[in-house]
C-alpha cells in the first residue's frame, strides 16, 4: 500500500476534525479529542495554517505537530508553525534528518516507528508505509482510556494513511497490516490520489506517471476503495479521502468509487467524504 496519508482514529470522547488543506500544493489536518489538539503535517505556509486554525473555535493551544514524511507538501511549514504556536514537532529519525532546514529553530521530538507513545491524552503509533520518502509513516491515534489495536494510526478514533500502495502485490503485508488496524478505527483518513483512466490520458510526462503508479507512489481511487471495503467489517463509520490530484482525479469520482464499492458489498453504514484538490473541509464533530 503506497501512499501519502493514512490516519486511523478511535476514541470514547467526541472528536473534532478538519482538513486544513489537502492536495499537491499542501497538506495539513487538525484533530482534537480528549482535550488534545494535534496537527498532522504542515505543507503550507505557517501564516496560512495559523489563519485556518484561528477559524476553529477552541483550537488553541496545539499540543503537538506530527509529520508523516519530509516532502514539502507535508512539512515545509512545520518548523515555522511550531515556532508560531509553541508546539513541538514529532517525527521519526529519518524524517527529522531529511526535513533539515525546514525545522530550524523548532522544538523537535523523535518518535520510533512501530512504538506507541503518549501525546497529551491520546496514544499515537506511527506505522511504516511505502512511499518515496526517507522513512514515511501513517498514524493511529487513540484515546488512552480505550483498548487500542495497532495501526498506522492506532486503534483509532483516527487512522491516517496518506501514501500507501494497498493494491500492489509487493506490499501485501503492508496492506493487510493497515487494513487490520483500520478495522478498529472510528475514522479513516486515506489518500485517493488518482483515477487510472484520467491519469492515462493526462498531460503528465511518462516519468511522472510511472512515479505515481510505482509501489512507492500514490494510491488510486480503486485501491482506496478496496482498502475501505477491507476495513469495513469493524467499527469504521467515517472515511475522508484526501490528497486528490487536481489533474488526474475528480472529487465526485473519488467519493463515488469508494461508495459504490461499499454498496456492492451491501455496506451502507459508512459515510464517505472526499476533500476537493487543494481544498479544505468543514469542521467535523464526530460523537464517540
Amino acid at each position: 500500500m503506497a501512499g501519502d496519508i493514512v490516519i486511523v482514529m478511535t476514541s470514547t470522547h467526541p472528536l473534532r476534525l478538519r482538513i486544513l488543506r489537502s492536495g499537491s500544493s499542501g497538506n495539513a489536518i487538525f484533530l482534537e479529542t480528549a482535550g488534545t489538539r494535534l496537527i498532522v503535517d504542515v505543507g503550507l505556509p505557517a501564516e496560512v495554517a495559523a489563519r485556518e486554525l484561528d477559524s476553529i473555535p477552541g483550537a488553541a493551544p496545539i499540543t503537538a505537530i506530527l509529520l508523516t514524511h519530509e516532502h514539502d507538501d507535508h512539512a515545509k511549514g512545520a518548523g515555522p508553525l511550531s515556532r508560531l504556536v509553541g508546539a513541538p514537532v514529532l517525527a521519526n529519525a529519518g524524517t527529522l534528518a531529511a526535513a533539515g532546514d525546514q525545522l530550524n529553530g523548532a522544538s523537535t521530538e523523535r518518535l520510533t516507528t512501530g512504538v506507541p507513545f503518549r501525546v497529551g491524552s491520546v496514544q499515537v503509533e506511527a506505522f511504516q508505509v511505502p512511499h518515496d520518502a526517507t522513512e514515511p509513516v501513517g498514524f493511529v491515534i487513540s484515546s488512552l482510556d480505550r483498548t487500542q489495536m495497532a495501526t498506522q494510526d492506532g486503534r483509532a478514533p483516527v487512522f491516517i494513511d496518506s501514501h500507501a500502495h494497498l493494491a500492489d502485490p509487493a506490499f501485501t503485508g503492508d496492506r493487510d497490516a493497515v487494513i487490520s488496524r483500520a478495522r478498529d478505527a472510528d475514522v479513516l483518513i486515506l489518500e485517493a490520489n488518482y483515477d487510472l483512466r484520467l491519469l492515462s490520458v493526462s498531460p503528465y510526462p511518462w516519468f511522472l506517471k510511472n512515479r505515481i503508479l510505482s509501489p512507492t507512489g500514490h494510491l488510486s481511487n480503486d485501491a482506496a476503495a478496496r482498502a475501505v471495503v477491507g476495513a469495513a467489517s469493524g467499527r469504521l463509520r467515517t472515511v475522508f479521502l484526501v490528497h486528490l490530484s487536481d489533474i488526474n482525479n475528480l472529487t465526485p469520482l473519488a467519493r463515488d468509487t469508494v461508495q459504490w464499492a461499499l454498496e456492492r458489498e451491501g455496506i451502507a453504514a459508512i459515510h464517505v467524504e472526499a476533500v476537493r484538490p487543494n481544498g479544505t473541509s468543514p469542521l467535523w464533530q464526530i460523537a464517540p
Side-chain angles (χ1 to χ4, degrees):
M1 170 170 172
D4 215 356
I5 298 173
V6 179
I7 299 178
V8 178
M9 189 164 184
T10 304
S11 181
T12 54
H13 300 276
L15 167 69
R16 297 201 305 161
L17 184 150
R18 184 176 172 210
I19 312 298
L20 304 178
R21 196 71 83 247
S22 171
S24 58
S25 67
N27 297 273
I29 299 168
F30 165 83
L31 59 92
E32 176 189 11
T33 189
T36 298
R37 302 172 189 87
L38 302 175
I39 305 293
V40 180
D41 290 341
V42 190
L44 59 161
E47 297 78 10
V48 176
R51 284 200 301 271
E52 296 288 355
L53 290 171
D54 286 343
S55 71
I56 302 173
I62 297 300
T63 309
I65 298 167
L66 306 177
L67 290 185
T68 60
H69 61 294
E70 74 277 7
H71 288 170
D72 280 356
D73 61 331
H74 290 261
K76 67 183 177 186
L81 186 65
S82 169
R83 297 191 299 269
L84 191 61
V85 302
V89 176
L90 279 59
N92 57 34
T95 298
L96 288 175
D101 292 345
Q102 294 179 120
L103 301 179
N104 280 350
S107 171
T108 61
E109 298 179 20
R110 187 177 68 183
L111 62 86
T112 301
T113 302
V115 178
F117 59 96
R118 178 171 178 164
V119 181
S121 300
V122 302
Q123 178 169 290
V124 179
E125 183 183 352
F127 56 95
Q128 182 180 4
V129 298
H131 187 49
D132 56 357
T134 304
E135 195 179 346
V137 298
F139 291 109
V140 176
I141 302 168
S142 308
S143 61
L144 287 171
D145 57 353
R146 179 185 288 281
T147 301
Q148 176 163 329
M149 310 190 63
T151 19
Q152 180 184 33
D153 325 7
R155 178 226 178 284
V158 177
F159 184 94
I160 305 178
D161 187 343
S162 99
H163 292 298
H165 225 304
L166 290 174
D168 196 286
F171 291 98
T172 300
D174 298 285
R175 178 189 63 208
D176 293 346
V178 170
I179 289 176
S180 67
R181 289 176 172 130
R183 289 191 184 112
D184 294 305
D186 295 315
V187 178
L188 171 63
I189 303 174
L190 183 68
E191 174 182 51
N193 181 255
Y194 66 93
D195 173 78
L196 184 58
R197 290 153 295 187
L198 292 179
L199 178 64
S200 68
V201 298
S202 84
Y204 279 17
W206 275 107
F207 81 86
L208 183 54
K209 292 181 181 181
N210 287 334
R211 173 186 176 262
I212 292 168
L213 292 166
S214 76
T216 56
H218 290 272
L219 198 62
S220 71
N221 294 344
D222 291 332
R226 288 191 290 272
V228 172
V229 168
S233 61
R235 57 177 289 132
L236 184 63
R237 293 178 292 162
T238 306
V239 174
F240 292 94
L241 302 176
V242 296
H243 215 294
L244 277 64
S245 169
D246 57 350
I247 302 294
N248 304 312
N249 213 343
L250 299 169
T251 307
L253 178 59
R255 180 198 62 223
D256 291 348
T257 299
V258 175
Q259 198 69 66
W260 292 334
L262 289 168
E263 291 173 1
R264 284 195 299 270
E265 299 299 323
I267 301 167
I270 296 176
H271 175 73
V272 180
E273 184 77 17
V275 181
R276 64 180 176 84
N278 302 316
T280 185
S281 79
L283 177 65
W284 285 85
Q285 303 195 53
I286 301 169

